[in-house]
PDB file of all heavy atoms in Angstrom:
ATOM      1  N   ASP O  24      14.921 -19.148  15.464  1.00 54.00           N
ATOM      2  CA  ASP O  24      16.328 -19.047  15.813  1.00 54.00           C
ATOM      3  C   ASP O  24      17.092 -19.033  14.506  1.00 54.00           C
ATOM      4  O   ASP O  24      16.960 -19.931  13.675  1.00 54.00           O
ATOM      5  CB  ASP O  24      16.780 -20.238  16.664  1.00 54.00           C
ATOM      6  CG  ASP O  24      16.132 -20.218  18.045  1.00 54.00           C
ATOM      7  OD1 ASP O  24      15.762 -19.118  18.504  1.00 54.00           O
ATOM      8  OD2 ASP O  24      15.996 -21.295  18.644  1.00 54.00           O
ATOM      9  N   ILE O  25      17.892 -18.005  14.296  1.00 54.00           N
ATOM     10  CA  ILE O  25      18.600 -17.849  13.046  1.00 54.00           C
ATOM     11  C   ILE O  25      20.080 -18.123  13.283  1.00 54.00           C
ATOM     12  O   ILE O  25      20.693 -17.569  14.187  1.00 54.00           O
ATOM     13  CB  ILE O  25      18.385 -16.432  12.487  1.00 54.00           C
ATOM     14  CG1 ILE O  25      16.880 -16.217  12.268  1.00 54.00           C
ATOM     15  CG2 ILE O  25      19.174 -16.227  11.202  1.00 54.00           C
ATOM     16  CD1 ILE O  25      16.497 -14.814  11.937  1.00 54.00           C
ATOM     17  N   TYR O  26      20.631 -19.001  12.459  1.00 52.00           N
ATOM     18  CA  TYR O  26      22.015 -19.423  12.599  1.00 52.00           C
ATOM     19  C   TYR O  26      22.801 -19.025  11.354  1.00 52.00           C
ATOM     20  O   TYR O  26      22.313 -19.100  10.246  1.00 52.00           O
ATOM     21  CB  TYR O  26      22.101 -20.946  12.761  1.00 52.00           C
ATOM     22  CG  TYR O  26      21.614 -21.437  14.095  1.00 52.00           C
ATOM     23  CD1 TYR O  26      20.264 -21.560  14.352  1.00 52.00           C
ATOM     24  CD2 TYR O  26      22.510 -21.779  15.086  1.00 52.00           C
ATOM     25  CE1 TYR O  26      19.813 -22.011  15.571  1.00 52.00           C
ATOM     26  CE2 TYR O  26      22.072 -22.228  16.312  1.00 52.00           C
ATOM     27  CZ  TYR O  26      20.721 -22.338  16.554  1.00 52.00           C
ATOM     28  OH  TYR O  26      20.293 -22.782  17.764  1.00 52.00           O
ATOM     29  N   VAL O  27      24.041 -18.595  11.559  1.00 52.00           N
ATOM     30  CA  VAL O  27      24.983 -18.353  10.476  1.00 52.00           C
ATOM     31  C   VAL O  27      26.208 -19.199  10.771  1.00 52.00           C
ATOM     32  O   VAL O  27      26.825 -19.072  11.817  1.00 52.00           O
ATOM     33  CB  VAL O  27      25.370 -16.862  10.386  1.00 52.00           C
ATOM     34  CG1 VAL O  27      26.439 -16.652   9.334  1.00 52.00           C
ATOM     35  CG2 VAL O  27      24.150 -16.007  10.098  1.00 52.00           C
ATOM     36  N   SER O  28      26.541 -20.071   9.850  1.00 54.00           N
ATOM     37  CA  SER O  28      27.677 -20.979  10.015  1.00 54.00           C
ATOM     38  C   SER O  28      27.615 -21.703  11.359  1.00 54.00           C
ATOM     39  O   SER O  28      28.558 -21.705  12.140  1.00 54.00           O
ATOM     40  CB  SER O  28      28.996 -20.219   9.889  1.00 54.00           C
ATOM     41  OG  SER O  28      29.091 -19.628   8.631  1.00 54.00           O
ATOM     42  N   ASN O  29      26.474 -22.286  11.640  1.00 54.00           N
ATOM     43  CA  ASN O  29      26.237 -23.070  12.854  1.00 54.00           C
ATOM     44  C   ASN O  29      26.384 -22.268  14.148  1.00 54.00           C
ATOM     45  O   ASN O  29      26.616 -22.811  15.204  1.00 54.00           O
ATOM     46  CB  ASN O  29      27.144 -24.302  12.905  1.00 54.00           C
ATOM     47  CG  ASN O  29      26.849 -25.243  11.766  1.00 54.00           C
ATOM     48  OD1 ASN O  29      25.694 -25.371  11.358  1.00 54.00           O
ATOM     49  ND2 ASN O  29      27.855 -25.896  11.252  1.00 54.00           N
ATOM     50  N   ARG O  30      26.276 -20.956  14.069  1.00 57.00           N
ATOM     51  CA  ARG O  30      26.354 -20.120  15.259  1.00 57.00           C
ATOM     52  C   ARG O  30      25.075 -19.295  15.337  1.00 57.00           C
ATOM     53  O   ARG O  30      24.697 -18.630  14.386  1.00 57.00           O
ATOM     54  CB  ARG O  30      27.567 -19.198  15.161  1.00 57.00           C
ATOM     55  CG  ARG O  30      27.821 -18.369  16.391  1.00 57.00           C
ATOM     56  CD  ARG O  30      29.139 -17.617  16.259  1.00 57.00           C
ATOM     57  NE  ARG O  30      29.175 -16.728  15.117  1.00 57.00           N
ATOM     58  CZ  ARG O  30      28.809 -15.444  15.146  1.00 57.00           C
ATOM     59  NH1 ARG O  30      28.400 -14.902  16.262  1.00 57.00           N
ATOM     60  NH2 ARG O  30      28.872 -14.701  14.067  1.00 57.00           N
ATOM     61  N   LYS O  31      24.406 -19.367  16.477  1.00 53.00           N
ATOM     62  CA  LYS O  31      23.158 -18.638  16.651  1.00 53.00           C
ATOM     63  C   LYS O  31      23.455 -17.144  16.701  1.00 53.00           C
ATOM     64  O   LYS O  31      24.274 -16.694  17.479  1.00 53.00           O
ATOM     65  CB  LYS O  31      22.461 -19.080  17.938  1.00 53.00           C
ATOM     66  CG  LYS O  31      21.117 -18.451  18.152  1.00 53.00           C
ATOM     67  CD  LYS O  31      20.479 -19.038  19.405  1.00 53.00           C
ATOM     68  CE  LYS O  31      19.172 -18.365  19.706  1.00 53.00           C
ATOM     69  NZ  LYS O  31      18.548 -18.914  20.897  1.00 53.00           N
ATOM     70  N   VAL O  32      22.796 -16.380  15.837  1.00 49.00           N
ATOM     71  CA  VAL O  32      23.038 -14.944  15.808  1.00 49.00           C
ATOM     72  C   VAL O  32      21.844 -14.127  16.286  1.00 49.00           C
ATOM     73  O   VAL O  32      22.013 -12.998  16.706  1.00 49.00           O
ATOM     74  CB  VAL O  32      23.432 -14.462  14.395  1.00 49.00           C
ATOM     75  CG1 VAL O  32      24.794 -14.994  14.033  1.00 49.00           C
ATOM     76  CG2 VAL O  32      22.391 -14.824  13.374  1.00 49.00           C
ATOM     77  N   ARG O  33      20.670 -14.699  16.244  1.00 54.00           N
ATOM     78  CA  ARG O  33      19.513 -13.913  16.634  1.00 54.00           C
ATOM     79  C   ARG O  33      18.308 -14.803  16.873  1.00 54.00           C
ATOM     80  O   ARG O  33      18.141 -15.822  16.215  1.00 54.00           O
ATOM     81  CB  ARG O  33      19.177 -12.912  15.535  1.00 54.00           C
ATOM     82  CG  ARG O  33      18.094 -11.941  15.922  1.00 54.00           C
ATOM     83  CD  ARG O  33      17.839 -10.986  14.811  1.00 54.00           C
ATOM     84  NE  ARG O  33      17.264 -11.734  13.699  1.00 54.00           N
ATOM     85  CZ  ARG O  33      16.632 -11.191  12.686  1.00 54.00           C
ATOM     86  NH1 ARG O  33      16.515  -9.913  12.610  1.00 54.00           N
ATOM     87  NH2 ARG O  33      16.136 -11.932  11.736  1.00 54.00           N
ATOM     88  N   THR O  34      17.483 -14.389  17.783  1.00 54.00           N
ATOM     89  CA  THR O  34      16.182 -15.006  17.977  1.00 54.00           C
ATOM     90  C   THR O  34      15.140 -13.918  17.782  1.00 54.00           C
ATOM     91  O   THR O  34      15.197 -12.879  18.428  1.00 54.00           O
ATOM     92  CB  THR O  34      16.037 -15.602  19.383  1.00 54.00           C
ATOM     93  OG1 THR O  34      17.024 -16.617  19.551  1.00 54.00           O
ATOM     94  CG2 THR O  34      14.665 -16.206  19.585  1.00 54.00           C
ATOM     95  N   ALA O  35      14.245 -14.128  16.862  1.00 54.00           N
ATOM     96  CA  ALA O  35      13.219 -13.130  16.571  1.00 54.00           C
ATOM     97  C   ALA O  35      11.856 -13.683  16.944  1.00 54.00           C
ATOM     98  O   ALA O  35      11.481 -14.770  16.519  1.00 54.00           O
ATOM     99  CB  ALA O  35      13.249 -12.773  15.099  1.00 54.00           C
ATOM    100  N   ASN O  36      11.150 -12.950  17.752  1.00 54.00           N
ATOM    101  CA  ASN O  36       9.791 -13.338  18.097  1.00 54.00           C
ATOM    102  C   ASN O  36       8.868 -13.073  16.920  1.00 54.00           C
ATOM    103  O   ASN O  36       9.049 -12.145  16.162  1.00 54.00           O
ATOM    104  CB  ASN O  36       9.290 -12.550  19.313  1.00 54.00           C
ATOM    105  CG  ASN O  36      10.017 -12.934  20.571  1.00 54.00           C
ATOM    106  OD1 ASN O  36      10.469 -14.058  20.701  1.00 54.00           O
ATOM    107  ND2 ASN O  36      10.150 -11.991  21.485  1.00 54.00           N
ATOM    108  N   ARG O  37       7.854 -13.889  16.790  1.00 54.00           N
ATOM    109  CA  ARG O  37       6.881 -13.697  15.706  1.00 54.00           C
ATOM    110  C   ARG O  37       6.216 -12.327  15.829  1.00 54.00           C
ATOM    111  O   ARG O  37       5.978 -11.658  14.832  1.00 54.00           O
ATOM    112  CB  ARG O  37       5.811 -14.776  15.750  1.00 54.00           C
ATOM    113  CG  ARG O  37       6.329 -16.127  15.406  1.00 54.00           C
ATOM    114  CD  ARG O  37       6.013 -16.425  13.977  1.00 54.00           C
ATOM    115  NE  ARG O  37       6.675 -17.671  13.648  1.00 54.00           N
ATOM    116  CZ  ARG O  37       7.268 -17.881  12.517  1.00 54.00           C
ATOM    117  NH1 ARG O  37       7.274 -16.965  11.603  1.00 54.00           N
ATOM    118  NH2 ARG O  37       7.856 -19.005  12.266  1.00 54.00           N
ATOM    119  N   ALA O  38       5.915 -11.892  17.034  1.00 55.00           N
ATOM    120  CA  ALA O  38       5.271 -10.588  17.225  1.00 55.00           C
ATOM    121  C   ALA O  38       6.189  -9.468  16.749  1.00 55.00           C
ATOM    122  O   ALA O  38       5.741  -8.508  16.128  1.00 55.00           O
ATOM    123  CB  ALA O  38       4.905 -10.391  18.686  1.00 55.00           C
ATOM    124  N   GLN O  39       7.494  -9.578  17.012  1.00 56.00           N
ATOM    125  CA  GLN O  39       8.438  -8.561  16.550  1.00 56.00           C
ATOM    126  C   GLN O  39       8.502  -8.546  15.028  1.00 56.00           C
ATOM    127  O   GLN O  39       8.513  -7.486  14.408  1.00 56.00           O
ATOM    128  CB  GLN O  39       9.831  -8.840  17.095  1.00 56.00           C
ATOM    129  CG  GLN O  39       9.994  -8.630  18.572  1.00 56.00           C
ATOM    130  CD  GLN O  39      11.356  -9.122  19.046  1.00 56.00           C
ATOM    131  OE1 GLN O  39      11.956 -10.002  18.446  1.00 56.00           O
ATOM    132  NE2 GLN O  39      11.825  -8.532  20.140  1.00 56.00           N
ATOM    133  N   MET O  40       8.558  -9.706  14.438  1.00 53.00           N
ATOM    134  CA  MET O  40       8.673  -9.795  12.991  1.00 53.00           C
ATOM    135  C   MET O  40       7.423  -9.254  12.313  1.00 53.00           C
ATOM    136  O   MET O  40       7.497  -8.626  11.264  1.00 53.00           O
ATOM    137  CB  MET O  40       8.932 -11.233  12.560  1.00 53.00           C
ATOM    138  CG  MET O  40      10.310 -11.725  12.985  1.00 53.00           C
ATOM    139  SD  MET O  40      10.567 -13.469  12.699  1.00 53.00           S
ATOM    140  CE  MET O  40      10.525 -13.544  10.928  1.00 53.00           C
ATOM    141  N   ALA O  41       6.261  -9.463  12.901  1.00 55.00           N
ATOM    142  CA  ALA O  41       5.018  -8.996  12.304  1.00 55.00           C
ATOM    143  C   ALA O  41       4.882  -7.487  12.385  1.00 55.00           C
ATOM    144  O   ALA O  41       4.184  -6.878  11.586  1.00 55.00           O
ATOM    145  CB  ALA O  41       3.834  -9.665  12.988  1.00 55.00           C
ATOM    146  N   SER O  42       5.558  -6.848  13.338  1.00 56.00           N
ATOM    147  CA  SER O  42       5.408  -5.407  13.504  1.00 56.00           C
ATOM    148  C   SER O  42       6.200  -4.616  12.468  1.00 56.00           C
ATOM    149  O   SER O  42       5.936  -3.441  12.261  1.00 56.00           O
ATOM    150  CB  SER O  42       5.830  -4.988  14.910  1.00 56.00           C
ATOM    151  OG  SER O  42       7.210  -5.189  15.080  1.00 56.00           O
ATOM    152  N   TYR O  43       7.178  -5.228  11.817  1.00 54.00           N
ATOM    153  CA  TYR O  43       7.961  -4.535  10.812  1.00 54.00           C
ATOM    154  C   TYR O  43       7.269  -4.648   9.456  1.00 54.00           C
ATOM    155  O   TYR O  43       6.858  -5.731   9.063  1.00 54.00           O
ATOM    156  CB  TYR O  43       9.367  -5.133  10.703  1.00 54.00           C
ATOM    157  CG  TYR O  43      10.183  -4.981  11.948  1.00 54.00           C
ATOM    158  CD1 TYR O  43      10.578  -6.086  12.678  1.00 54.00           C
ATOM    159  CD2 TYR O  43      10.559  -3.720  12.406  1.00 54.00           C
ATOM    160  CE1 TYR O  43      11.327  -5.949  13.837  1.00 54.00           C
ATOM    161  CE2 TYR O  43      11.308  -3.569  13.553  1.00 54.00           C
ATOM    162  CZ  TYR O  43      11.688  -4.685  14.257  1.00 54.00           C
ATOM    163  OH  TYR O  43      12.428  -4.538  15.389  1.00 54.00           O
ATOM    164  N   PRO O  44       7.172  -3.540   8.710  1.00 56.00           N
ATOM    165  CA  PRO O  44       6.573  -3.641   7.377  1.00 56.00           C
ATOM    166  C   PRO O  44       7.521  -4.361   6.431  1.00 56.00           C
ATOM    167  O   PRO O  44       8.730  -4.201   6.522  1.00 56.00           O
ATOM    168  CB  PRO O  44       6.392  -2.184   6.958  1.00 56.00           C
ATOM    169  CG  PRO O  44       7.381  -1.429   7.765  1.00 56.00           C
ATOM    170  CD  PRO O  44       7.564  -2.200   9.049  1.00 56.00           C
ATOM    171  N   THR O  45       6.971  -5.167   5.574  1.00 60.00           N
ATOM    172  CA  THR O  45       7.800  -5.872   4.608  1.00 60.00           C
ATOM    173  C   THR O  45       7.992  -4.997   3.380  1.00 60.00           C
ATOM    174  O   THR O  45       7.092  -4.240   3.005  1.00 60.00           O
ATOM    175  CB  THR O  45       7.164  -7.210   4.199  1.00 60.00           C
ATOM    176  OG1 THR O  45       5.926  -6.923   3.541  1.00 60.00           O
ATOM    177  CG2 THR O  45       6.932  -8.106   5.390  1.00 60.00           C
ATOM    178  N   PRO O  46       9.128  -5.080   2.719  1.00 60.00           N
ATOM    179  CA  PRO O  46       9.353  -4.241   1.543  1.00 60.00           C
ATOM    180  C   PRO O  46       8.475  -4.635   0.362  1.00 60.00           C
ATOM    181  O   PRO O  46       8.288  -3.859  -0.551  1.00 60.00           O
ATOM    182  CB  PRO O  46      10.829  -4.463   1.225  1.00 60.00           C
ATOM    183  CG  PRO O  46      11.177  -5.747   1.851  1.00 60.00           C
ATOM    184  CD  PRO O  46      10.283  -5.898   3.051  1.00 60.00           C
ATOM    185  N   HIS O  47       7.932  -5.833   0.390  1.00 62.00           N
ATOM    186  CA  HIS O  47       7.114  -6.303  -0.720  1.00 62.00           C
ATOM    187  C   HIS O  47       5.633  -6.014  -0.521  1.00 62.00           C
ATOM    188  O   HIS O  47       4.828  -6.359  -1.373  1.00 62.00           O
ATOM    189  CB  HIS O  47       7.326  -7.801  -0.933  1.00 62.00           C
ATOM    190  CG  HIS O  47       8.743  -8.124  -1.235  1.00 62.00           C
ATOM    191  ND1 HIS O  47       9.349  -7.787  -2.423  1.00 62.00           N
ATOM    192  CD2 HIS O  47       9.697  -8.728  -0.499  1.00 62.00           C
ATOM    193  CE1 HIS O  47      10.605  -8.177  -2.413  1.00 62.00           C
ATOM    194  NE2 HIS O  47      10.844  -8.747  -1.260  1.00 62.00           N
ATOM    195  N   ASP O  48       5.281  -5.390   0.596  1.00 59.00           N
ATOM    196  CA  ASP O  48       3.886  -5.071   0.849  1.00 59.00           C
ATOM    197  C   ASP O  48       3.534  -3.810   0.081  1.00 59.00           C
ATOM    198  O   ASP O  48       3.893  -2.717   0.455  1.00 59.00           O
ATOM    199  CB  ASP O  48       3.654  -4.883   2.356  1.00 59.00           C
ATOM    200  CG  ASP O  48       2.200  -4.630   2.671  1.00 59.00           C
ATOM    201  OD1 ASP O  48       1.343  -4.889   1.795  1.00 59.00           O
ATOM    202  OD2 ASP O  48       1.915  -4.158   3.787  1.00 59.00           O
ATOM    203  N   ARG O  49       2.830  -3.972  -1.034  1.00 59.00           N
ATOM    204  CA  ARG O  49       2.501  -2.840  -1.870  1.00 59.00           C
ATOM    205  C   ARG O  49       1.000  -2.539  -1.824  1.00 59.00           C
ATOM    206  O   ARG O  49       0.434  -1.989  -2.765  1.00 59.00           O
ATOM    207  CB  ARG O  49       2.931  -3.100  -3.295  1.00 59.00           C
ATOM    208  CG  ARG O  49       4.440  -3.243  -3.437  1.00 59.00           C
ATOM    209  CD  ARG O  49       4.838  -3.269  -4.862  1.00 59.00           C
ATOM    210  NE  ARG O  49       6.145  -3.521  -5.328  1.00 59.00           N
ATOM    211  CZ  ARG O  49       7.297  -3.471  -4.753  1.00 59.00           C
ATOM    212  NH1 ARG O  49       7.364  -3.192  -3.543  1.00 59.00           N
ATOM    213  NH2 ARG O  49       8.429  -3.705  -5.339  1.00 59.00           N
ATOM    214  N   THR O  50       0.347  -2.906  -0.750  1.00 66.00           N
ATOM    215  CA  THR O  50      -1.079  -2.648  -0.640  1.00 66.00           C
ATOM    216  C   THR O  50      -1.312  -1.172  -0.385  1.00 66.00           C
ATOM    217  O   THR O  50      -0.541  -0.501   0.274  1.00 66.00           O
ATOM    218  CB  THR O  50      -1.714  -3.470   0.497  1.00 66.00           C
ATOM    219  OG1 THR O  50      -1.049  -3.145   1.715  1.00 66.00           O
ATOM    220  CG2 THR O  50      -1.593  -4.952   0.222  1.00 66.00           C
ATOM    221  N   ARG O  51      -2.389  -0.670  -0.964  1.00 60.00           N
ATOM    222  CA  ARG O  51      -2.764   0.725  -0.792  1.00 60.00           C
ATOM    223  C   ARG O  51      -4.210   0.777  -0.338  1.00 60.00           C
ATOM    224  O   ARG O  51      -5.004  -0.096  -0.659  1.00 60.00           O
ATOM    225  CB  ARG O  51      -2.621   1.489  -2.106  1.00 60.00           C
ATOM    226  CG  ARG O  51      -1.199   1.644  -2.566  1.00 60.00           C
ATOM    227  CD  ARG O  51      -1.123   2.553  -3.772  1.00 60.00           C
ATOM    228  NE  ARG O  51      -1.901   2.101  -4.908  1.00 60.00           N
ATOM    229  CZ  ARG O  51      -1.435   1.310  -5.855  1.00 60.00           C
ATOM    230  NH1 ARG O  51      -0.220   0.856  -5.793  1.00 60.00           N
ATOM    231  NH2 ARG O  51      -2.195   0.978  -6.873  1.00 60.00           N
ATOM    232  N   SER O  52      -4.542   1.847   0.359  1.00 64.00           N
ATOM    233  CA  SER O  52      -5.929   2.017   0.757  1.00 64.00           C
ATOM    234  C   SER O  52      -6.755   2.344  -0.484  1.00 64.00           C
ATOM    235  O   SER O  52      -6.235   2.764  -1.514  1.00 64.00           O
ATOM    236  CB  SER O  52      -6.051   3.126   1.801  1.00 64.00           C
ATOM    237  OG  SER O  52      -5.660   4.353   1.236  1.00 64.00           O
ATOM    238  N   GLU O  53      -8.049   2.171  -0.384  1.00 63.00           N
ATOM    239  CA  GLU O  53      -8.930   2.381  -1.527  1.00 63.00           C
ATOM    240  C   GLU O  53      -8.906   3.820  -2.037  1.00 63.00           C
ATOM    241  O   GLU O  53      -9.030   4.060  -3.223  1.00 63.00           O
ATOM    242  CB  GLU O  53     -10.367   1.991  -1.149  1.00 63.00           C
ATOM    243  CG  GLU O  53     -10.565   0.497  -0.987  1.00 63.00           C
ATOM    244  CD  GLU O  53     -10.392  -0.248  -2.291  1.00 63.00           C
ATOM    245  OE1 GLU O  53     -10.823   0.250  -3.344  1.00 63.00           O
ATOM    246  OE2 GLU O  53      -9.795  -1.336  -2.271  1.00 63.00           O
ATOM    247  N   ASP O  54      -8.744   4.791  -1.135  1.00 61.00           N
ATOM    248  CA  ASP O  54      -8.783   6.184  -1.550  1.00 61.00           C
ATOM    249  C   ASP O  54      -7.430   6.703  -2.043  1.00 61.00           C
ATOM    250  O   ASP O  54      -7.337   7.813  -2.538  1.00 61.00           O
ATOM    251  CB  ASP O  54      -9.291   7.070  -0.420  1.00 61.00           C
ATOM    252  CG  ASP O  54      -8.455   6.952   0.849  1.00 61.00           C
ATOM    253  OD1 ASP O  54      -7.692   5.986   0.967  1.00 61.00           O
ATOM    254  OD2 ASP O  54      -8.590   7.830   1.722  1.00 61.00           O
ATOM    255  N   GLU O  55      -6.399   5.887  -1.960  1.00 69.00           N
ATOM    256  CA  GLU O  55      -5.066   6.297  -2.408  1.00 69.00           C
ATOM    257  C   GLU O  55      -4.936   6.033  -3.908  1.00 69.00           C
ATOM    258  O   GLU O  55      -5.220   4.957  -4.399  1.00 69.00           O
ATOM    259  CB  GLU O  55      -3.998   5.520  -1.643  1.00 69.00           C
ATOM    260  CG  GLU O  55      -2.600   5.974  -1.938  1.00 69.00           C
ATOM    261  CD  GLU O  55      -1.571   5.195  -1.136  1.00 69.00           C
ATOM    262  OE1 GLU O  55      -1.946   4.420  -0.253  1.00 69.00           O
ATOM    263  OE2 GLU O  55      -0.382   5.373  -1.422  1.00 69.00           O
ATOM    264  N   ASP O  56      -4.487   7.053  -4.648  1.00 76.00           N
ATOM    265  CA  ASP O  56      -4.321   6.928  -6.093  1.00 76.00           C
ATOM    266  C   ASP O  56      -3.095   6.100  -6.429  1.00 76.00           C
ATOM    267  O   ASP O  56      -2.126   6.049  -5.683  1.00 76.00           O
ATOM    268  CB  ASP O  56      -4.171   8.300  -6.735  1.00 76.00           C
ATOM    269  CG  ASP O  56      -5.470   9.074  -6.753  1.00 76.00           C
ATOM    270  OD1 ASP O  56      -6.532   8.441  -6.669  1.00 76.00           O
ATOM    271  OD2 ASP O  56      -5.416  10.312  -6.857  1.00 76.00           O
ATOM    272  N   ASP O  57      -3.150   5.496  -7.596  1.00 85.00           N
ATOM    273  CA  ASP O  57      -2.020   4.743  -8.121  1.00 85.00           C
ATOM    274  C   ASP O  57      -0.899   5.729  -8.456  1.00 85.00           C
ATOM    275  O   ASP O  57      -1.155   6.766  -9.085  1.00 85.00           O
ATOM    276  CB  ASP O  57      -2.474   3.994  -9.367  1.00 85.00           C
ATOM    277  CG  ASP O  57      -1.379   3.175  -9.998  1.00 85.00           C
ATOM    278  OD1 ASP O  57      -0.491   2.705  -9.258  1.00 85.00           O
ATOM    279  OD2 ASP O  57      -1.409   2.994 -11.226  1.00 85.00           O
TER     280      ASP O  57
END
Side-chain angles (χ1 to χ4, degrees):
D24 292 334
I25 300 171
Y26 288 79
V27 175
S28 300
N29 297 325
R30 185 173 59 91
K31 184 176 176 180
V32 291
R33 187 179 67 163
T34 299
N36 292 331
R37 292 261 173 220
Q39 290 172 334
M40 292 172 66
S42 67
Y43 296 115
T45 63
H47 300 290
D48 183 16
R49 296 189 187 341
T50 58
R51 292 187 301 270
S52 64
E53 289 294 321
D54 57 344
E55 186 179 352
D56 288 338
D57 180 30

